Amino acid sequence: MPLWKVYHPASAFSADDKKAMAVAITDVYGRVMPRFYVNVLFEPVPDDNLFIGGEPHPNFVRITVDHIAREFPSDKAMSGFMKHMNKVLKPWIEDRGFHWEMHVDETPFSLWTVQGHFPPREGTEDERRWIAENRPSARTHD
Amino acid sequence: MPLWKVYHPASAFSADDKKAMAVAITDVYGRVMPRFYVNVLFEPVPDDNLFIGGEPHPNFVRITVDHIAREFPSDKAMSGFMKHMNKVLKPWIEDRGFHWEMHVDETPFSLWTVQGHFPPREGTEDERRWIAENRPSARTHD
Amino acid sequence: MPLWKVYHPASAFSADDKKAMAVAITDVYGRVMPRFYVNVLFEPVPDDNLFIGGEPHPNFVRITVDHIAREFPSDKAMSGFMKHMNKVLKPWIEDRGFHWEMHVDETPFSLWTVQGHFPPREGTEDERRWIAENRPSARTHD
């Protein structure tokens, strides 16, 4: 459900960095939903293909996220999430002197399938099974 | 209008596969809108740039779609569409043993132009002409 | 806030073209918001990775935009913006004989941070400082 895209300078992250960042992001969501919901896609961007304020920026990490499985109930929940995620990413981004920007969109739950299955609603028995087995399977309830 | 992005392992699809998938997707929309509305963009992803549940996944196809020209009128219409599209894609994805996930977002009709033209509304004479000619042209109605 | 993605044939734009396009786009937004809000990302697309209406299209520029900082108040404001942007891009796209399509999505203001800061609301003193300094800094108001 969350689809993270991390646009970064080609040399910014090693294979180990990318793995560690993906695990750190997944750990946040994995407390309340199946871990396999979390997709993290890294996209290296050549220096002359990204402009910030009309200037090339060789040192910028731009993150976009699509949320599908959950909607935030309030502005306070949104800002709490954003603050937490900025902290989670700090070791790889802020602490290394990168500039960065991040935004999240929320997209319709009913327009989402995993392996052809419609994911179960939050808090259902089916979702507990998806979490426990860490893989999608046929729903037993509507 | 529909903008499909297919993120796939670099070796997953041949040029013929990509063409055939694009035609199959376009055929679905082409029954009710101009064929040229359908954009399908393939993005090969190196193995160590995609993580599912915090693990690299060399065998995963991730599809995202933006819908602009039409909004689904109901949850039932949404789930019918998703089921149908999973079936349409089966020969290239499920039948070849890939894992996959797909989600659709709906974006504002008024923030969309093709060749600088604002596309006509559904069911109008202008839209019938765009379908018949399979190209955009100036609208004759508001 | 606006995140522009320009998908283009690999040979379509020189480094100077890309810089000039990014500046032209930034100039539009820069009249009402900090210039550094404007992100323009160019993504070259190999010929056999983009299909329009089920056919490869070697001559197509596809632009997607995410708006975060501002929402359009009306359909009229939306169409005025789209018309203006088509004109701004004309020298690099229409005048060179490319086909093109562009759409904009609007995403939640509260799910956005720059350098870990929540951007100030439109018209506030904090926003005036961000504009004047052309960089993010801690907010002095909620």
Side-chain angles (χ1 to χ4, degrees):
Chain A
M1 94 113 176
L3 171 58
W4 281 61
K5 292 187 192 164
V6 181
Y7 299 90
H8 59 87
S11 64
F13 305 122
S14 70
D16 284 349
D17 289 335
K18 290 188 276 190
K19 165 80 173 157
M21 289 170 76
V23 168
I25 294 164
T26 302
D27 284 348
V28 175
Y29 294 98
R31 291 193 302 252
V32 295
M33 65 181 71
R35 289 180 69 83
F36 71 87
Y37 278 12
V38 186
N39 308 166
V40 184
L41 179 66
F42 290 90
E43 299 209 14
V45 178
D47 280 2
D48 58 353
N49 279 352
L50 178 64
F51 295 83
I52 304 294
E55 300 292 334
H57 198 313
N59 204 29
F60 202 88
V61 178
R62 184 64 171 91
I63 296 172
T64 70
V65 186
D66 272 3
H67 275 188
I68 318 170
R70 300 284 193 276
E71 268 184 48
F72 289 108
S74 66
D75 263 20
K76 201 177 156 192
M78 291 184 180
S79 65
F81 174 82
M82 297 301 288
K83 276 180 203 165
H84 186 61
M85 278 302 180
N86 275 288
K87 205 183 310 178
V88 165
L89 297 167
K90 194 169 177 289
W92 299 279
I93 299 183
E94 187 175 2
D95 290 355
R96 294 184 182 186
F98 290 111
H99 287 208
W100 79 104
E101 180 173 341
M102 171 164 51
H103 83 290
V104 179
D105 194 13
E106 297 185 324
T107 75
F109 186 84
S110 300
L111 291 174
W112 173 42
T113 56
V114 184
Q115 307 279 95
H117 298 291
F118 291 93
R121 289 276 171 189
E122 179 177 1
T124 57
E125 196 180 310
D126 282 331
E127 196 191 54
R128 283 190 290 276
R129 192 183 64 254
W130 284 39
I131 291 174
E133 300 183 351
N134 198 31
R135 63 176 185 83
S137 52
R139 275 158 62 166
T140 60
H141 304 82
D142 263 351
Chain B
M1 94 113 174
L3 171 59
W4 281 62
K5 292 187 193 165
V6 181
Y7 299 92
H8 59 87
S11 63
F13 305 122
S14 70
D16 284 349
D17 289 334
K18 289 186 277 190
K19 165 77 174 157
M21 289 170 75
V23 168
I25 293 164
T26 302
D27 285 347
V28 174
Y29 293 98
R31 291 194 302 252
V32 295
M33 66 181 71
R35 289 180 70 82
F36 71 85
Y37 278 12
V38 186
N39 308 166
V40 183
L41 179 67
F42 290 90
E43 300 209 13
V45 179
D47 280 2
D48 57 352
N49 279 353
L50 177 65
F51 295 83
I52 305 293
E55 301 291 335
H57 197 312
N59 205 29
F60 203 88
V61 178
R62 185 65 170 90
I63 297 173
T64 69
V65 186
D66 273 3
H67 274 189
I68 319 170
R70 301 284 193 275
E71 269 184 45
F72 289 108
S74 66
D75 263 20
K76 202 179 155 191
M78 292 183 179
S79 65
F81 173 82
M82 297 301 287
K83 275 179 204 167
H84 186 62
M85 277 303 181
N86 275 288
K87 207 184 307 177
V88 165
L89 297 167
K90 194 169 175 291
W92 298 279
I93 299 183
E94 186 176 2
D95 291 354
R96 296 185 181 186
F98 289 112
H99 287 206
W100 79 104
E101 181 173 340
M102 172 165 49
H103 83 289
V104 179
D105 194 14
E106 296 185 324
T107 75
F109 186 85
S110 301
L111 291 173
W112 174 42
T113 57
V114 184
Q115 305 282 94
H117 298 291
F118 291 92
R121 289 275 171 189
E122 177 177 359
T124 57
E125 196 180 310
D126 283 332
E127 196 192 51
R128 282 189 290 275
R129 192 184 62 254
W130 284 39
I131 291 174
E133 299 182 352
N134 198 32
R135 62 178 186 82
S137 53
R139 275 158 61 165
T140 60
H141 305 82
D142 261 353
Chain C
M1 89 111 177
L3 172 59
W4 281 62
K5 292 186 193 165
V6 181
Y7 299 92
H8 59 87
S11 63
F13 306 122
S14 71
D16 284 350
D17 289 334
K18 289 187 278 190
K19 166 79 174 158
M21 290 171 75
V23 168
I25 293 164
T26 302
D27 285 348
V28 175
Y29 294 97
R31 290 193 302 253
V32 295
M33 65 181 71
R35 289 181 69 83
F36 72 85
Y37 277 12
V38 186
N39 308 166
V40 183
L41 179 67
F42 291 90
E43 299 210 12
V45 178
D47 280 2
D48 58 352
N49 278 353
L50 177 65
F51 296 83
I52 305 294
E55 300 293 335
H57 198 312
N59 205 30
F60 203 88
V61 178
R62 184 65 172 90
I63 297 173
T64 70
V65 186
D66 272 3
H67 274 189
I68 318 170
R70 300 286 193 276
E71 268 183 47
F72 289 108
S74 66
D75 263 20
K76 202 180 154 190
M78 292 183 180
S79 64
F81 174 83
M82 296 301 288
K83 276 178 204 166
H84 186 62
M85 277 302 180
N86 275 288
K87 206 183 308 178
V88 165
L89 297 168
K90 193 170 177 291
W92 298 279
I93 299 184
E94 186 176 1
D95 291 354
R96 295 186 181 185
F98 289 111
H99 287 207
W100 79 103
E101 180 173 340
M102 171 164 50
H103 82 289
V104 179
D105 194 15
E106 297 184 324
T107 75
F109 186 85
S110 300
L111 292 174
W112 173 43
T113 56
V114 183
Q115 305 280 96
H117 298 290
F118 291 93
R121 288 276 171 188
E122 178 178 0
T124 57
E125 196 180 309
D126 282 332
E127 197 192 51
R128 282 190 290 277
R129 191 183 65 253
W130 283 39
I131 291 173
E133 300 182 350
N134 198 31
R135 63 176 186 82
S137 52
R139 276 159 61 165
T140 59
H141 304 83
D142 263 353

